[in-house]
Amino acid sequence: QSVLTQPPSVSGAPGQRVTISCTGSSSNIGAGYDVHWYQQLPGTAPKLLIHGNSNRPSGVPDRFSGSKSGTSASLAITGLQAEDEADYYCQSYDSSLSGRVFGGGTKLTVL
Amino acid sequence: EVQLVESGGGLVQPGGSLKLSCAASGFTFSGSAMHWVRQASGKGLEWVGRIRSKANSYATAYAASVKGRFTISRDDSKNTAYLQMNSLKIEDTAVYYCTRLSGDDSSSWYRDWGQGTLVTVSS
């Protein structure tokens, strides 16, 4: 059971918009800790997608955006492309565990 | 170019030991906190532990699932981090990733990842 809760899967057609939620608690997201997002393409290591809730590293398309409110965060992907098919993980810090925690991951399928 | 290259994975029997290495290049290794994250097949990411820099007394921390069995160390002269795994259990079977933190506070993120090394615990 992951500390941060994500939907196991989401799907969308090419060109559509999808969102992935990440729900935490008062000891992590709700405590004000930043949320970061990672993309893991099949058979590869995770790669940073969004840091500090809504910041994109250079090279990440602006189709990807992040937001945070209360005890939750969201990753939005617009203009879905086949290459976006991957697993997505949120990550934050938890004060009660004194360490970094991940969501269980969400598998994005592009129909 | 930042590179993190893990090595040392393999097949080990339950109760056995294994030491993973993470060779770093392309950044100031000595000033960076290094973490280990693992992923069982078909499962999500699990933080294993970390070691901070010399400036932060090489402080280590571990997930409850590995505390007392795993030890993280580093050799700044070799730009290498290590994960010593003892008393291995079947549930430790996973791909182990070495990662570099963007900073060393609660807001930091995993900016670089190695390719991972597979550890299989089986009789």
Side-chain angles (χ1 to χ4, degrees):
Chain A
Q1 199 79 353
S2 300
V3 174
L4 304 178
T5 301
Q6 298 180 235
S9 63
V10 297
S11 63
Q16 285 190 332
R17 178 181 186 270
V18 296
T19 61
I20 298 173
S21 61
C22 174
T23 303
S25 67
S26 59
S27 62
N28 41 68
I29 299 175
Y33 294 109
D34 285 347
V35 178
H36 318 294
W37 292 89
Y38 304 87
Q39 178 192 57
Q40 186 175 33
L41 297 170
T44 69
K47 169 195 142 185
L48 179 68
L49 196 64
I50 297 285
H51 66 86
N53 306 314
S54 59
N55 302 293
R56 282 187 311 275
S58 60
V60 174
D62 60 6
R63 301 186 295 105
F64 295 90
S65 63
S67 63
K68 174 188 146 182
S69 178
T71 58
S72 296
S74 289
L75 172 70
I77 310 171
T78 58
L80 264 182
Q81 299 181 4
E83 66 205 49
D84 298 333
E85 194 159 282
D87 293 323
Y88 293 84
Y89 294 90
C90 60
Q91 177 253 308
S92 185
Y93 183 89
D94 191 283
S95 58
S96 62
L97 296 174
S98 296
R100 284 161 178 80
V101 291
F102 289 96
T106 298
K107 182 176 182 59
L108 169 63
T109 300
V110 181
L111 302 171
Chain B
E1 179 195 4
V2 171
Q3 279 201 312
L4 297 172
V5 180
E6 302 94 337
S7 61
L11 175 64
V12 61
Q13 292 188 336
S17 298
L18 209 56
K19 187 173 185 177
L20 307 183
S21 299
C22 170
S25 61
F27 64 98
T28 305
F29 178 80
S30 60
S32 299
M34 300 299 295
H35 289 229
W36 289 89
V37 174
R38 69 184 180 182
Q39 184 174 37
S41 179
K43 302 296 183 182
L45 302 170
E46 179 188 16
W47 176 75
V48 173
R50 58 89 167 142
I51 185 166
R52 302 178 79 181
S53 65
K54 180 179 181 179
N56 290 292
S57 305
Y58 297 126
T60 57
Y62 302 92
S65 58
V66 306
K67 196 169 186 179
R69 301 187 298 121
F70 289 13
T71 302
I72 298 174
S73 60
R74 63 191 296 162
D75 185 337
D76 289 346
S77 68
K78 295 183 178 179
N79 285 355
T80 301
Y82 303 97
L83 177 63
Q84 175 69 48
M85 303 183 293
N86 299 330
S87 303
L88 282 161
K89 305 176 181 180
I90 291 176
E91 53 263 39
D92 294 320
T93 296
V95 173
Y96 285 74
Y97 294 103
C98 168
T99 70
R100 175 171 77 124
L101 216 54
S102 61
D104 198 13
D105 58 31
S106 60
S107 66
S108 301
W109 57 90
Y110 296 113
R111 62 181 300 168
D112 301 295
W113 297 69
Q115 85 287 352
T117 186
L118 176 62
V119 172
T120 302
V121 184
S122 175
S123 54

